[in-house]
């Protein structure tokens, strides 16, 4: 079985995930306390999170630019 060295542990991935989790929490609050504008704002923030992750990845903060074949360093 092939082992995966890297599962998206990058600044781009973490930034996107954190923004999308905050957006999901905002949308959950909007459902609990019926507020369509808050829900739309959370949905827009989720899209912003996806775009931010892609932009950061293209800027070199993703996993594609890393050398995943090298041995992990032990400090």
């Amino acid at each position: 079985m092939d082992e995966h060295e890297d599962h998206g542990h990058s600044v781009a991935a973490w930034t996107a995930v954190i923004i999308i989790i905050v957006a999901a929490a905002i949308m959950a609050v909007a459902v609990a306390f019926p507020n369509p504008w808050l829900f739309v704002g959370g949905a827009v923030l989720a899209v912003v999170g996806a775009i931010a992750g892609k932009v950061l990845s293209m800027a070199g903060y993703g996993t594609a630019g890393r050398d995943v074949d090298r041995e992990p360093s032990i400090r």
Side-chain angles (χ1 to χ4, degrees), residues 19-43 45-46:
I19 292 172
I20 292 171
I21 287 174
V22 169
I26 290 171
M27 289 188 289
V29 168
V31 169
F33 303 104
N35 188 338
W37 292 110
L38 190 60
F39 186 85
V40 170
L45 187 60

Side-chain angles (χ1 to χ4, degrees), residues 1-69:
M1 182 187 278
D2 293 334
E3 291 190 35
H4 297 282
E5 296 281 332
D6 194 1
H7 295 281
H9 300 291
S10 67
V11 173
W14 281 104
T15 301
V17 167
I18 289 170
I19 292 172
I20 292 171
I21 287 174
V22 169
I26 290 171
M27 289 188 289
V29 168
V31 169
F33 303 104
N35 188 338
W37 292 110
L38 190 60
F39 186 85
V40 170
V44 168
L45 187 60
V47 172
V48 167
I51 292 170
K54 182 64 177 174
V55 168
L56 284 171
S57 179
M58 291 171 56
Y61 291 100
T63 59
R66 293 189 197 173
D67 183 15
V68 294
D69 292 333

